Amino acid sequence: LFAPERKRDIPRYPRRVGIVTSPQAAALRDVIAAFRRRAPHVELVIYPTLVQGAEAPAVIVAVLEQAFTRAECDLLLVVRGGGSIEDLWAFNDEAVARKLAVSPVLTIAGIGHETDTTIADYVADRRAATPTAAAELASAGWFEAAAEVAALDDARRAEMQSALETRMQALDR
């Protein structure tokens, strides 16, 4: 389940991203804010689930199965904010790990914070240190493209300004 050769590349320009998390979680607000800032045109689909407690692993598995069946997203973010190891324990469940391993779409796990690591982090195609980092990783292609377009636009404007100044000087002469 942890083999590097089974990991897939992140799509550069995802159009629809699924978010598997609790609807009440700060992690969800952080992910949405990151997408609004970096790639506001990407459609986000929320797959609500429990993220802690004894019932959480079964619910996470069912929600992942629902996301796989609906097949409407280019990638899935599985996110949850920090907490104690007990709070994160649902993401150490074997059934959750096995469901992530058979995901037909790329998965990015952003569970906990910097130092937190779960089995789901190792099984997912990519691990992000935080939910926000997961969103940034998922939107990286769009964010880089926007920066490239802005740089090209600046260069075009400078070129046009230079051409206008040259023509104005020629006209003055």
Side-chain angles (χ1 to χ4, degrees):
L1 298 181
F2 303 158
E5 57 270 7
R6 62 169 288 285
K7 309 291 181 169
R8 296 167 285 188
D9 292 329
I10 298 171
R12 184 153 167 85
Y13 304 112
R15 293 182 182 179
R16 186 178 291 151
V17 175
I19 307 167
V20 178
T21 194
S22 168
Q24 293 80 28
L28 177 59
R29 289 189 301 278
D30 293 346
V31 167
I32 291 170
F35 270 99
R36 281 190 183 143
R37 186 178 71 251
R38 295 171 57 90
H41 59 282
V42 172
E43 185 179 346
L44 303 176
V45 179
I46 300 166
Y47 296 98
T49 186
L50 294 175
V51 292
Q52 72 182 53
E55 305 85 28
V59 176
I60 293 168
V61 167
V63 168
L64 287 170
E65 184 59 40
Q66 177 188 38
F68 301 165
T69 301
R70 287 170 52 180
E72 61 191 346
C73 297
D74 301 318
L75 64 94
L76 289 175
L77 304 183
V78 180
V79 296
R80 187 220 189 278
S84 69
I85 190 64
E86 292 82 14
D87 292 340
L88 304 177
W89 202 252
F91 297 97
N92 285 322
D93 187 86
E94 181 180 357
V96 172
R98 293 202 177 276
K99 187 54 72 174
L100 282 170
V102 298
S103 176
V105 297
L106 182 122
T107 56
I108 300 174
I111 300 163
H113 290 294
E114 304 284 336
T115 58
D116 300 323
T117 307
T118 66
I119 291 172
D121 290 311
Y122 292 114
V123 176
D125 291 296
R126 293 287 182 278
R127 176 195 183 268
T130 64
T132 299
E136 290 171 350
L137 192 56
S139 63
W142 288 113
F143 188 71
E144 291 165 6
E148 290 171 17
V149 167
L152 288 170
D153 186 52
D154 290 346
R156 180 193 54 83
R157 286 178 191 272
E159 225 175 270
M160 284 180 61
Q161 187 65 37
S162 176
L164 282 172
E165 287 174 8
T166 301
R167 289 190 176 123
M168 287 169 43
Q169 287 175 359
L171 184 60
D172 286 347
R173 279 188 289 237

